[in-house]
Amino acid sequence: MEFLPIRKARNLIRRKIIWIATAAAIILVTAICVSNPQYASPPPKSPSMAPPAQEACDIFSGDWIPDPEAPYYTNKTCWAIHDHQNCMKYGRPDSDFIKWRWKPDGCELPLFNPYQFLDIVRGKSLAFVGDSVARNQMQSIICLLSRVEYPIDMSPPTTDKHWKYVNYNFTMSYFWSPFLVRSGVRDDVGPTNIGLFNLYLDELDESWTDQIHGFDYLIINAGHWFNRNTVYYESRRVVGCRYCLLPNITDLPATYAYRRAFRTAFRALENFAGVTLMRTFAPAHFEGGEWNAGGDCVRRRPLWSNGTVLDGQTLDMHAAQLEEFRAAMGRGNRGVRVMDVTKMMLLRPDGHPSRYGHWAQEKVVLYNDCVHWCLPGPIDSWADILLHLLNMEARR
């Protein structure tokens, strides 16, 4: 039987050893953080890091306000930026376009906190499904999270991407599906030299619908590909087309296919156990001509909401999405939410790459890009909204 004084002495020694080891660990971690800013502690709270906006506030209506602290990464600190959106690398002469943040009317929307985001998605998975603007958004999030951790690329040799945040057991994926439904190339050239596609409006695109059932969060989008030359099929027969210039086929507006594609996508998600965010149409800002006829986006400041309204195709596409969303809810699909960025991005004609997605002297056929968004740039504010929506889901 151990004597009490001896037992106390041993316990005291153990406590001292634990204290010394803990102090050494703290010193080591502090040294790492000082020498590696990407591992630094979360920024102190400020008005922009206030508690999440109340659910009653419409975070999708507001204006862009100056943010002198932005950007929160640069094209030199983040390797995930696609060259065509790397505006500063390719000589964009102004930088004011990165000094704004989205401010909803009547409430505060906290700036994206990478630590809070990764804590919410710890042990979970998120997938983007859609076109290259979805990829643009994913790369924005990777850059914003780079202050905490860079992911490991787990991707197969396809257009799909899978990123693993090891320290948080979080997976972020991207599935290429610009029409959300089954499609195929009908003619490599087509009437405008960019190809003619077959679009099967009532058939699932199994390249993503067969892979998303294990995910916790899904962000779906589609948009500008619906302006391409396409032939529309329903029940395996031609019902019309978009600029196909084929005999005896009726030309239909892009919204015809857009509406039906979302209807089919929502049907695919009826048994999805996770949460789906439908990201709405992000407007292009071509002025002075169409994308292939000299159009460009040369503005250098945001617009104000009180003088800007949705109209034309942007209004029609946005309305079609929301109507199909409401119809899906009416059919009992309660796992879908709206991430309505259309109005806020309508105000940012200054945020596109324009000609600054490649070197000016390059002898390549590239049109001015007024569809995608510079990184860093306005699309980073989508992360503020995404974090707010995930916070709301955590409180449900």
Side-chain angles (χ1 to χ4, degrees):
M1 186 175 188
E2 189 175 38
F3 290 108
L4 186 60
I6 297 175
R7 185 186 307 169
K8 287 183 177 179
R10 288 179 176 174
N11 288 340
L12 181 60
I13 292 171
R14 290 193 192 101
R15 285 196 295 268
K16 287 185 176 180
I17 292 173
I18 293 172
W19 183 88
I20 293 171
T22 301
I26 291 173
I27 293 171
L28 177 61
V29 170
T30 301
I32 293 174
C33 291
V34 169
S35 60
N36 296 274
Q38 72 185 62
Y39 297 111
S41 299
K45 284 193 174 182
S46 65
S48 63
M49 295 289 287
Q54 294 182 0
E55 189 167 348
C57 174
D58 181 5
I59 63 170
F60 305 121
S61 294
D63 273 298
W64 294 87
I65 65 172
D67 182 11
E69 300 299 319
Y72 299 94
Y73 65 90
T74 71
N75 66 313
K76 295 182 179 180
T77 63
C78 181
W79 48 254
I81 303 174
H82 194 287
D83 266 2
H84 292 169
Q85 285 88 57
N86 199 338
C87 305
M88 306 311 289
K89 173 181 176 179
Y90 292 110
R92 177 161 174 165
D94 63 306
S95 60
D96 287 348
F97 72 96
I98 61 179
K99 296 289 186 179
W100 300 85
R101 70 179 179 90
W102 179 246
K103 170 64 172 66
D105 295 329
C107 62
E108 286 291 331
L109 179 65
L111 288 173
F112 183 79
N113 183 329
Y115 293 88
Q116 185 184 18
F117 179 88
L118 286 170
D119 191 54
I120 289 176
V121 298
R122 186 189 298 271
K124 297 182 180 180
S125 54
L126 181 151
F128 294 90
V129 176
D131 56 22
S132 52
V133 180
R135 183 173 61 229
N136 203 176
Q137 181 184 8
M138 180 188 70
Q139 290 165 348
S140 164
I141 291 179
I142 291 175
C143 289
L144 288 166
L145 293 177
S146 67
R147 290 175 286 171
V148 180
E149 182 177 339
Y150 271 118
I152 296 175
D153 190 349
M154 309 288 287
S155 306
T158 65
T159 54
D160 298 337
K161 299 295 291 184
H162 302 284
W163 301 99
K164 182 77 172 183
Y165 287 83
V166 176
N167 290 328
Y168 291 84
N169 190 27
F170 167 57
T171 301
M172 186 161 60
S173 299
Y174 164 77
F175 297 105
W176 170 254
S177 182
F179 295 112
L180 295 180
V181 295
R182 189 168 82 87
S183 63
V185 177
R186 183 187 184 105
D187 182 344
D188 287 332
V189 179
T192 57
N193 295 317
I194 59 170
L196 178 64
F197 296 84
N198 287 332
L199 197 53
Y200 304 91
L201 299 175
D202 54 356
E203 297 185 36
L204 305 181
D205 179 358
E206 295 178 350
S207 69
W208 69 270
T209 59
D210 285 354
Q211 299 191 64
I212 50 88
H213 295 292
F215 283 84
D216 298 284
Y217 305 105
L218 197 63
I219 301 176
I220 64 171
N221 85 284
H224 298 283
W225 273 69
F226 284 81
N227 286 317
R228 293 191 175 225
N229 310 125
T230 48
V231 178
Y232 302 151
Y233 287 80
E234 292 181 75
S235 300
R236 296 295 176 95
R237 66 181 184 86
V238 176
V239 295
C241 75
R242 176 70 169 169
Y243 300 145
C244 66
L245 303 182
L246 296 176
N248 302 318
I249 299 181
T250 303
D251 194 79
L252 298 171
T255 48
Y256 179 91
Y258 199 58
R259 179 185 301 279
R260 284 157 178 77
F262 272 97
R263 188 176 303 168
T264 300
F266 282 131
R267 176 164 55 87
L269 295 169
E270 289 176 353
N271 296 318
F272 178 59
V275 174
T276 300
L277 301 175
M278 180 193 72
R279 199 263 293 156
T280 61
F281 185 75
H285 291 92
F286 290 100
E287 296 184 66
E290 298 295 329
W291 65 272
N292 58 348
D296 202 355
C297 37
V298 297
R299 296 180 185 252
R300 293 294 176 258
R301 289 180 63 85
L303 306 176
W304 295 108
S305 62
N306 61 3
T308 310
V309 295
L310 292 179
D311 59 8
Q313 189 190 62
T314 298
L315 174 63
D316 295 339
M317 300 286 262
H318 182 249
Q321 277 184 291
L322 295 183
E323 288 167 11
E324 290 304 318
F325 165 77
R326 287 190 287 267
M329 293 286 286
R331 292 191 298 268
N333 192 337
R334 301 297 179 184
V336 294
R337 314 279 186 263
V338 173
M339 184 176 179
D340 193 347
V341 303
T342 304
K343 294 178 183 178
M344 65 183 286
M345 301 313 287
L346 182 67
L347 305 178
R348 294 307 307 268
D350 58 321
H352 299 288
S354 179
R355 65 178 67 92
Y356 301 108
H358 58 91
W359 297 117
Q361 67 272 18
E362 283 186 278
K363 294 182 179 180
V364 293
V365 180
L366 289 175
Y367 299 100
N368 296 324
D369 185 353
C370 302
V371 172
H372 301 95
W373 304 92
C374 294
L375 293 177
I379 198 173
D380 293 326
S381 283
W382 293 9
D384 304 345
I385 291 175
L386 177 59
L387 179 55
H388 170 76
L389 295 175
L390 294 183
N391 266 318
M392 288 175 56
E393 289 303 319
R395 298 199 301 270
R396 288 184 187 272

